[in-house]
Amino acid sequence: MEIRSYAPSDIREMAALFYDTVHTVNARDYTPAQLDAWATGEVDLAAWDQSFQEHTSLVAEENGVIVGFGDMDETGYLDRLYVHKNYQGRGIATALCDALEAAVSTPRITVHASITARPFFEKRGYTVVKEQQVQRRGVLLTNYVMEKLR
């Protein structure tokens, strides 16, 4: 596996990975209606590309396949972290998170973690600041504001 910087040519494969991962990996913690509201299959590719270019954005690749991606802004907010549904449990999220955390010098890193991702972040030393309900397309989803102080 190679961790590299994001390139705009990655965006379509990343959008497909996002949809597939949410609808399979997160299905144990969210209802079908919540999954559909979270990942509709219609990503604004231009907006995503702009966001990835403005953030520290990394891609994990294995044999020419994008197997994960993540991004963090300059304030230490970990915006997205997704691993391909067929590559779970191989240390990809850990490698991406390690690299993203090392890329910023902020004293605090924050993330809005899904129910599914919460244990991963807790193992990394993040603590829950609060549980919250976020609305996506009129549907409420539970997630957790979490932070890691360093």
Side-chain angles (χ1 to χ4, degrees), residues 75-136:
T75 70
Y77 175 65
L78 178 55
D79 192 357
R80 289 161 285 216
L81 182 64
Y82 292 93
V83 173
H84 192 292
K85 64 184 175 93
N86 296 335
Y87 291 83
Q88 297 284 310
R90 298 186 188 183
I92 295 165
T94 297
L96 284 166
C97 211
D98 286 348
L100 289 168
E101 289 176 3
V104 298
S105 59
T106 59
R108 172 183 303 150
I109 297 175
T110 58
V111 65
H112 292 183
S114 67
I115 296 168
T116 314
R118 177 181 170 177
F120 169 80
F121 286 108
E122 287 176 331
K123 287 177 188 168
R124 294 187 60 82
Y126 287 72
T127 57
V128 173
V129 175
K130 69 176 181 176
E131 178 179 324
Q132 64 182 5
Q133 299 290 314
V134 294
Q135 190 174 55
R136 297 285 182 266

Side-chain angles (χ1 to χ4, degrees), residues 14 17 58-61 65-70 82-84 92 96:
M14 289 165 61
L17 183 157
L58 300 174
V59 172
E61 194 172 56
V65 174
I66 294 176
V67 295
F69 66 89
Y82 292 93
V83 173
H84 192 292
I92 295 165
L96 284 166

Side-chain angles (χ1 to χ4, degrees), residues 24-37:
T24 54
V25 176
N26 298 96
R28 67 177 180 256
D29 297 308
Y30 295 91
T31 68
Q34 289 172 318
L35 298 172
D36 288 341

Side-chain angles (χ1 to χ4, degrees), residues 15-16 18-19 23 35-46 48 137:
F18 166 71
Y19 178 86
H23 281 268
L35 298 172
D36 288 341
W38 181 356
T40 65
E42 297 177 11
V43 171
D44 182 338
L45 297 178
W48 261 36
R137 294 170 183 79

